[in-house]
Amino acid sequence: MRNTRAIQLLFELSQPGRCGARLPACDVPEASPESLLPREALAGGAPGLPEMAEPDVVRHFTNLSTLNMSVDTHFYPLGSCTMKHNPKRNERLASLPGMLHVHPYQPDDTIQGLLELLYELQGMFAEISGLPGVSLQPAAGAHGELTALMAAAAHFQARDERRTTVLTPDSAHGTNPATPVMRGYKVRAVPVGPDADVDLEALKEACGPQTAGLMMTNPSTCGVFERQIEDIAKAVHEAGGLLYYDGANLNAIMGISRPGDMGFDIVHFNLHKSFTQPHGGGGPGAGPIAVSDRIEPYLMNPRVTRDEGEDGTPRFDLVEDRPESIGRLRGFQGNFGVFVRSYAYICSLGAEGLREASEIAVLNANYLLALLRRPEIAPYLPLAFGERCMHEFVLSGAPMKRDLGIRTTDLAKRLLDHGYHPPTVYFPLLVEEALLVEPTETETRETIEAFAEAVGAILREAAEDPEIARNAPYTTPVRRMDEAAAARNPVVRQPPAG
Ligand SMILES: *Cc1c(COP(=O)(O)O)cnc(C)c1O
């Protein structure tokens, strides 16, 4: 059972006068605050900090850390997010003193090894994507999208082309239409057909001299590989537009197919998805981008270069040699610890291992899909597109809602009681009562089978009594919340006493 005492605030646990530290007696003459600082710089009183014993503080935070689900505590098949295991070796390497205590303003001479790591990582992402120009700077996928559109805009400006519109399939992740709007583009949605392939005729009709490009992911958020990708690339390129690859689904194709070979001009990577940077909880991420030769001149400064001295010793430098660059995107090169983890991950697997990771991700998803297509489950939760899937798949809970009286959200909440983080719900928007499931390659057969059993058990229970799932969860520290109210009106302060 979980410890619900930990939900109490430190302020509620506070006992006036209790203290966790013992300070030595003051051995210098005491001075009044007023004699040291101007009055307007002084606080009105002591800060209202909780007064507690040290063990209680430790217990509070340790217990607090167990209230959420995480990949280290629970199966977490959150679609589109690739919640794979994060190897602990990566943490050890990122915590080495030479990695941890480096200062961003240190001279290049003193950080040759770290620059080499960045340089090699650039090369790895070029190889994985099939696109030669890499910048590690963007902080996340969405930041990579924005960067890419800024570079694309610089490319069009240099050619004196005024292009106003970015296309996105209507299966797209929300960031794909949101990013062009931030950059001042209009967005036009392109429909996808019943099998989740882009409607090619509609795409051709939407393409024209106003088209800056198309943003899409492949496999799409519908969990299927877009088979007409070459025709799509041709249509967009013929109109003079660029093709942007949202790399969030890269976990399906690493080492198997390359966005550059499919015809994409720009790719972002989510290192906190495919490349084992832990994510969730707002930790740092990284969204490097890789681009084709024609976009490369507009990438950010600086980049890491490699030279060889007379004696053949390599030398790495941060160089600002792109005069047409869109500039800097951030203070420094990015979240360095993220790069160390992803570098360690890629090195530990090698090219063969990366490919195998993707193959197993696809196999695991298809195995789970097959288990969920058993006759006691499939009629209530049918597969939304096609027969098989890539690394994730979309089910529709519409028949479950109609026949059993529980919605996808009820199923998701009840899964919490079974000890599973639910899959993604209500995305993609195209599918009624959508459930987007991504088991990842790091789960065992037993875990996948147990999860499928839990889904079956919840459906059987709903056939008996739908109220049970409708009121779930029961075993979590907080029960079902009004999520809209919680997001719009968060209560983060202690309520006034009395
Ligand atoms: C996660 C995701 C993004 C956004 O990436 P962030 O790193 O969260 O900014 C974009 N597209 C898809 C399909 C995603 O799953």
Side-chain angles (χ1 to χ4, degrees):
M1 225 356 54
R2 296 183 177 205
N3 187 341
T4 47
R5 191 178 131 83
I7 327 174
Q8 278 183 286
L9 301 177
L10 286 175
F11 296 96
E12 292 163 332
L13 300 169
S14 173
Q15 293 291 339
R18 189 160 289 165
C19 185
R22 195 183 298 266
L23 298 178
C26 185
D27 60 358
V28 293
E30 280 191 37
S32 72
E34 290 78 7
S35 68
L36 298 171
L37 281 175
R39 182 157 289 280
E40 61 272 20
L42 295 175
L49 296 176
E51 296 172 78
M52 296 183 68
E54 182 170 326
D56 287 334
V57 176
V58 172
R59 279 176 205 148
H60 174 77
F61 284 108
T62 305
N63 289 329
L64 203 57
S65 76
T66 66
L67 295 184
N68 256 341
M69 288 184 160
S70 71
V71 279
D72 286 350
T73 55
H74 296 87
F75 180 44
Y76 208 126
L78 194 65
S80 210
C81 293
T82 309
M83 303 298 287
K84 60 167 81 173
H85 174 65
N86 307 129
K88 301 307 161 223
R89 174 203 51 229
N90 298 354
E91 295 303 320
R92 285 202 300 280
L93 294 172
S95 314
L96 291 174
M99 307 283 189
L100 206 55
H101 302 307
V102 63
H103 192 280
Y105 280 128
Q106 238 170 278
D108 291 359
D109 286 337
T110 66
I111 51 167
Q112 283 293 299
L114 306 189
L115 291 177
E116 181 172 2
L117 186 150
L118 296 180
Y119 180 83
E120 293 220 348
L121 200 56
Q122 289 174 9
M124 289 168 175
F125 290 140
E127 191 178 333
I128 293 168
S129 62
L131 291 165
V134 175
S135 173
L136 300 174
Q137 282 187 27
H143 201 202
E145 293 177 30
L146 181 65
T147 315
L149 288 183
M150 290 165 72
H155 158 81
F156 290 127
Q157 200 166 18
R159 296 157 57 99
D160 218 13
E161 290 179 32
R162 270 171 244 303
R163 293 178 178 265
T164 53
T165 307
V166 171
L167 307 172
T168 57
D170 57 12
S171 56
H173 188 266
T175 52
N176 294 177
T179 306
V181 171
M182 277 193 79
R183 178 53 193 75
Y185 284 109
K186 292 196 207 80
V187 176
R188 178 163 171 185
V190 181
V192 301
D195 50 4
D197 281 333
V198 168
D199 180 337
L200 195 57
E201 288 317 308
L203 173 71
K204 285 181 180 160
E205 212 179 283
C207 282
Q210 76 290 349
T211 307
L214 169 72
M215 299 178 80
M216 63 181 290
T217 172
N218 193 18
S220 70
T221 54
C222 301
V224 296
F225 192 84
E226 172 57 70
R227 290 162 293 183
Q228 321 164 91
I229 186 60
E230 286 167 328
D231 297 328
I232 291 171
K234 189 158 167 259
V236 175
H237 286 153
E238 273 174 7
L242 297 169
L243 227 64
Y244 181 85
Y245 185 92
D246 175 335
N249 292 336
L250 207 70
N251 215 48
I253 63 156
M254 293 183 302
I256 300 170
S257 60
R258 307 196 303 172
D261 299 338
M262 298 181 210
F264 286 91
D265 301 278
I266 311 178
V267 173
H268 82 243
F269 298 81
N270 303 69
L271 301 194
H272 43 289
K273 293 184 182 174
S274 332
F275 296 96
T276 66
Q277 164 67 14
H279 81 299
I289 61 171
V291 304
S292 58
D293 282 329
R294 58 183 173 146
I295 309 298
E296 205 271 344
Y298 310 104
L299 282 187
M300 290 73 82
N301 277 323
R303 68 189 172 116
V304 187
T305 58
R306 180 185 193 278
D307 276 315
E308 259 169 39
E310 304 255 296
D311 59 352
T313 346
R315 143 115 220 148
F316 300 89
D317 291 289
L318 282 168
V319 179
E320 311 224 0
D321 63 350
R322 292 181 178 127
E324 294 170 285
S325 164
I326 59 170
R328 260 180 196 267
L329 215 58
R330 54 185 303 143
F332 302 100
Q333 290 305 295
N335 294 318
F336 188 75
V338 181
F339 300 144
V340 178
R341 291 184 191 90
S342 295
Y343 180 79
Y345 176 68
I346 295 171
C347 289
S348 72
L349 290 184
E352 291 288 306
L354 271 190
R355 183 188 173 104
E356 201 184 333
S358 282
E359 285 169 352
I360 297 173
V362 173
L363 183 66
N364 272 359
N366 277 286
Y367 183 52
L368 179 54
L369 174 60
L371 297 175
L372 296 177
R373 296 190 86 188
R374 287 185 194 147
E376 68 270 25
I377 297 174
Y380 303 112
L381 283 170
L383 180 64
F385 305 101
E387 288 293 308
R388 285 199 270 161
C389 63
M390 294 295 288
H391 67 309
E392 61 186 354
F393 55 88
V394 190
L395 305 176
S396 169
M400 177 178 74
K401 179 175 158 191
R402 189 189 59 220
D403 299 339
L404 298 179
I406 67 167
R407 305 183 58 207
T408 292
T409 191
D410 303 321
L411 172 69
K413 298 294 183 196
R414 192 68 177 125
L415 278 168
L416 295 167
D417 291 328
H418 284 261
Y420 297 108
H421 191 284
T424 295
V425 294
Y426 300 98
F427 175 76
L429 303 177
L430 289 177
V431 175
E432 197 188 340
E433 293 291 319
L435 194 69
L436 176 60
V437 192
E438 180 183 2
T440 83
E441 72 278 15
T442 55
E443 296 302 330
T444 62
R445 178 174 176 167
E446 290 75 18
T447 300
I448 291 173
E449 287 169 352
F451 177 76
E453 286 300 324
V455 173
I458 293 169
L459 296 181
R460 280 196 301 281
E461 175 187 81
E464 295 284 313
D465 182 2
E467 281 304 312
I468 298 176
R470 283 190 208 140
N471 293 311
Y474 301 91
T475 57
T476 47
V478 283
R479 298 282 306 277
R480 195 175 293 212
M481 286 186 290
D482 180 340
E483 284 163 17
R488 292 201 187 118
N489 183 26
V491 180
V492 293
R493 281 181 185 280
Q494 179 192 22

